[in-house]
Amino acid sequence: DFSMRLRHIAHLPRLFPAPLAVDSVVYIPRKTNWIRHRFNTCNFSFILSGGGEYRRGDTVWPVEAPCVITQSPEHYVEYGPCGAWQWWEEFYVIYNKNKIPLLRRIGLLRPGVFAWRIKDSRPIRMQLTEIREAVRNGEERGGADRLDRLCELLVMDGILAETNPAPDRDEAAVLAICDHLHTHSNERHHNFNALPRQHGLSSSTSRRRSAQLIRPP
């Protein structure tokens, strides 16, 4: 069954090496604890039932299944069940951080998009059935190759199933500015007039859209 907590597959031989080889897959049927961590990997977490909260910098995102949240080395994150939910069900795919440039280049890791809701968890669960079989047969000939491609397809379909419309130009610019500030958090001085202009916004528009998009934790 799919009750395993963690399955490492990075070490398994590949007959047909895929550019996006998976390091590990994890299934947690009832996650109850909070994670407070800066990951050294790039992860896609599919929240299949339950809910809670996801925090990245000053951004607080309400988690309500079905949805996807991501983790990467650029950001310290905190997330877990809370409020009306005591637990959530989660499956996630772990990629080595050296895959991040490729994930960005092919559009699976999108600038400023760290979480999104999906229309229906049923297609995702159907794919997880295939992934479960691939995990079982991971050490057989071609098993790891199949798992790599199934996980890539899962992430792609998770994006295609997004319920939220793509951010408008102003929202995308604000998210890009936030990413820049978090990535360069060690710098002492930021020009908060020049940064919006670099992304095609006025300072007043940047402040207004930031207030709409970001609420304090």
Side-chain angles (χ1 to χ4, degrees):
D1 58 29
F2 222 167
S3 61
M4 87 291 183
R5 291 283 173 155
L6 173 66
R7 183 63 61 88
H8 295 294
I9 63 170
H11 66 286
L12 296 178
R14 267 68 167 182
L15 297 178
F16 312 99
L20 284 178
V22 174
D23 270 16
S24 306
V25 293
V26 184
Y27 175 70
I28 305 175
R30 293 178 69 91
K31 183 187 188 73
T32 58
N33 62 303
W34 266 68
I35 302 297
R36 295 175 173 86
H37 192 57
R38 183 186 294 271
F39 288 82
N40 195 37
T41 54
C42 182
N43 314 327
F44 295 87
S45 296
F46 291 79
I47 313 304
L48 302 171
S49 57
E53 202 168 70
Y54 177 101
R55 302 174 184 175
R56 193 185 76 158
D58 294 329
T59 303
V60 179
W61 196 80
V63 173
E64 186 171 354
C67 64
V68 182
I69 61 177
T70 65
Q71 305 92 30
S72 61
E74 293 94 336
H75 301 283
Y76 174 85
V77 293
E78 300 180 358
Y79 58 91
C82 66
W85 294 280
Q86 296 181 343
W87 57 271
W88 72 42
E89 179 189 9
E90 178 178 357
F91 173 82
Y92 60 98
V93 182
I94 301 175
Y95 289 105
N96 188 288
K97 65 180 180 182
N98 64 19
K99 304 298 182 185
I100 290 176
L102 176 59
L103 287 163
R104 287 176 174 156
R105 189 162 64 249
I106 65 177
L108 296 185
L109 194 61
R110 298 171 289 169
V113 181
F114 58 87
W116 62 93
R117 292 181 176 84
I118 57 179
K119 299 172 186 175
D120 188 351
S121 66
R122 287 174 294 182
I124 300 299
R125 289 185 183 277
M126 291 176 62
Q127 287 181 289
L128 289 181
T129 299
E130 292 190 67
I131 291 174
R132 177 186 61 196
E133 294 303 314
V135 168
R136 285 176 173 172
N137 303 321
E139 297 190 15
E140 296 183 2
R141 189 173 186 270
D145 301 282
R146 179 172 174 76
L147 188 54
D148 289 337
R149 287 159 175 83
L150 285 171
C151 287
E152 182 178 350
L153 181 63
L154 179 71
V155 174
M156 183 188 74
D157 283 348
I159 293 172
L160 292 174
E162 183 176 7
T163 58
N164 295 334
D168 61 29
R169 184 186 67 86
D170 290 352
E171 181 178 340
V174 169
L175 292 172
I177 291 168
C178 290
D179 271 349
H180 174 88
L181 293 173
H182 290 313
T183 304
H184 299 84
S185 58
N186 292 330
E187 295 181 9
R188 291 188 177 182
H189 302 289
H190 294 283
N191 190 326
F192 290 99
N193 290 318
L195 265 176
R197 288 198 299 271
Q198 291 170 10
H199 291 83
L201 295 181
S202 67
S203 298
S204 59
T205 300
S206 176
R207 288 193 296 271
R208 177 173 55 81
R209 292 309 303 270
S210 296
Q212 292 171 346
L213 293 169
I214 301 171
R215 65 181 177 87

